[in-house]
């Protein structure tokens, strides 16, 4: 009968020195792997930084090209350049603000307001963006909104004489004219309504005078209905008026021509 002995565990025969050497090599490989990961992350981050730098550089070139085109009144071409730049740097508020100015020159007020609003969203501290937004709103006839935008621009840069003396002053003048026009329109409408009401007399249909007039008209109508008047023209041309009673009607002879009135 076979006897069973205790089975040795795997690795029990491995010497202590060999084990330590294995652990050291594993640690070196781990450190090397960590270094490789760190290098990869650093390289990726660096590549991203280089890409962003190139985008910013290219965007600035396109922005300058668009500005040159706008100065030469080639507005459509300038907008195309700035739109291309916005694909590279979509958070550049200056591009939106410049685009809004050009759109106002083209009399495209709705897109101009939208572009200015985008500029304000990306840089709420830009007094230029608020000034351009106010001008675009003024072009749409939104005078109250334009005044608010100019006030915000002045709050950011209080010493700006252009916004204070030109933009805000003009907007307030237009606002006063608008209020005066509305007041005149309301007064004219009220006057027309008053005249219309005055043209309709206010009768008291229960007064004694009205009752007496109605009674007289009724008596006259009664008398007219009781008697009928006939105008008779004879063959010789003589005219005769005959009153015919209901109870004794008058019948003209055959020699007469009767014309009724």
């Amino acid at each position: 009968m076979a006897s069973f002995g205790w089975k040795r565990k795997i690795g029990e025969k491995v010497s202590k020195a060999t084990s330590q050497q294995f652990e050291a090599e594993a640690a070196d490989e781990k450190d090397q792997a960590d270094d490789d990961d760190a290098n990869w992350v650093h390289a990726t981050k660096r590549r991203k930084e280089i890409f962003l730098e190139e985008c910013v550089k290219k965007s600035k070139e396109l922005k300058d090209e668009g500005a040159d085109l706008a100065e030469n009144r080639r507005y459509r071409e300038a907008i195309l350049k700035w739109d291309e730049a916005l694909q590279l740097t979509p958070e550049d508020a200056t591009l939106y603000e410049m685009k809004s100015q050009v759109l106002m020159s083209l009399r495209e007020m709705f897109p101009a307001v939208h572009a200015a609003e985008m500029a304000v969203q990306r840089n709420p501290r830009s007094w230029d963006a608020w000034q351009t937004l106010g001008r675009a709103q003024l072009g749409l006839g939104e005078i109250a909104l334009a005044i608010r935008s100019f006030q915000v621009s002045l709050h950011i840069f209080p010493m700006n004489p252009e916004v204070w003396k030109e933009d805000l002053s003009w907007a307030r003048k237009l606002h006063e004219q608008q209020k005066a026009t509305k007041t005149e329109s309301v007064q004219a409408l009220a006057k027309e309504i008053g005249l219309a009401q005055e043209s309709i007399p206010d009768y008291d249909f229960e007064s004694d005078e009205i009752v007496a007039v109605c009674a007289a008209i009724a008596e006259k109508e009664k008398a007219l209905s009781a008697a009928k008047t006939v105008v008779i023209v004879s063959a010789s041309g003589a005219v005769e008026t005959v009153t015919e009673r209901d109870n004794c009607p008058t019948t003209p002879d055959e020699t007469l021509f009767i014309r009724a009135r």
Side-chain angles (χ1 to χ4, degrees), residues 91-144:
E91 298 301 319
D92 191 343
T94 307
L95 287 169
Y96 284 105
E97 190 269 333
M98 295 168 67
K99 183 178 177 180
S100 178
Q101 291 188 50
V102 169
L103 288 169
M104 279 190 283
S105 299
L106 293 172
R107 298 293 188 270
E108 297 182 10
M109 293 304 172
F110 281 105
V113 170
H114 177 70
E117 288 176 345
M118 296 291 285
V120 167
Q121 290 175 7
R122 279 152 179 75
N123 187 7
R125 299 295 301 172
S126 172
W127 65 268
D128 287 325
W130 283 104
Q131 181 188 27
T132 301
L133 176 59
R135 290 178 175 178
Q137 291 168 336
L138 207 59
L140 276 182
E142 298 290 346
I143 301 176

Side-chain angles (χ1 to χ4, degrees), residues 54-216:
E54 292 177 352
C55 288
V56 172
K57 182 180 179 181
K58 181 62 176 177
S59 176
K60 186 178 184 305
E61 293 175 358
L62 293 169
K63 181 192 295 185
D64 295 339
E65 292 176 8
D68 293 337
L69 291 169
E71 289 179 0
N72 294 322
R73 299 181 181 275
R74 297 166 63 181
Y75 298 134
R76 296 295 180 186
E77 297 176 58
I79 291 175
L80 292 176
K81 292 291 184 181
W82 291 334
D83 285 340
E84 188 177 350
L86 284 170
Q87 296 296 323
L88 301 173
T89 54
E91 298 301 319
D92 191 343
T94 307
L95 287 169
Y96 284 105
E97 190 269 333
M98 295 168 67
K99 183 178 177 180
S100 178
Q101 291 188 50
V102 169
L103 288 169
M104 279 190 283
S105 299
L106 293 172
R107 298 293 188 270
E108 297 182 10
M109 293 304 172
F110 281 105
V113 170
H114 177 70
E117 288 176 345
M118 296 291 285
V120 167
Q121 290 175 7
R122 279 152 179 75
N123 187 7
R125 299 295 301 172
S126 172
W127 65 268
D128 287 325
W130 283 104
Q131 181 188 27
T132 301
L133 176 59
R135 290 178 175 178
Q137 291 168 336
L138 207 59
L140 276 182
E142 298 290 346
I143 301 176
L145 294 177
I147 290 175
R148 178 184 177 276
S149 296
F150 292 142
Q151 289 174 341
V152 175
S153 179
L154 279 175
H155 179 75
I156 298 171
F157 184 24
M159 303 305 295
N160 188 346
E162 184 180 18
V163 178
W164 181 262
K165 294 181 180 180
E166 296 180 14
D167 295 317
L168 186 58
S169 177
W170 174 244
R172 285 177 173 171
K173 184 178 180 180
L174 291 177
H175 187 59
E176 293 297 326
Q177 292 177 356
Q178 187 182 56
K179 288 171 60 178
T181 303
K182 288 183 178 180
T183 301
E184 291 176 359
S185 300
V186 171
Q187 291 177 350
L189 181 61
K191 185 177 180 180
E192 291 178 1
I193 295 174
L195 291 175
Q197 291 177 347
E198 290 177 1
S199 63
I200 302 175
D202 187 12
Y203 291 116
D204 183 6
F205 292 98
E206 295 183 357
S207 63
D208 296 338
E209 293 83 358
I210 297 298
V211 172
V213 170
C214 292

Side-chain angles (χ1 to χ4, degrees), residues 32-66:
Q32 185 177 0
D34 292 340
D35 292 340
D36 291 341
D37 291 340
N39 292 334
W40 180 82
V41 172
H42 179 73
T44 303
K45 184 177 180 181
R46 181 56 185 162
R47 282 196 296 270
K48 184 177 180 181
E49 291 174 354
I50 294 173
F51 175 75
L52 292 175
E53 290 173 0
E54 292 177 352
C55 288
V56 172
K57 182 180 179 181
K58 181 62 176 177
S59 176
K60 186 178 184 305
E61 293 175 358
L62 293 169
K63 181 192 295 185
D64 295 339
E65 292 176 8

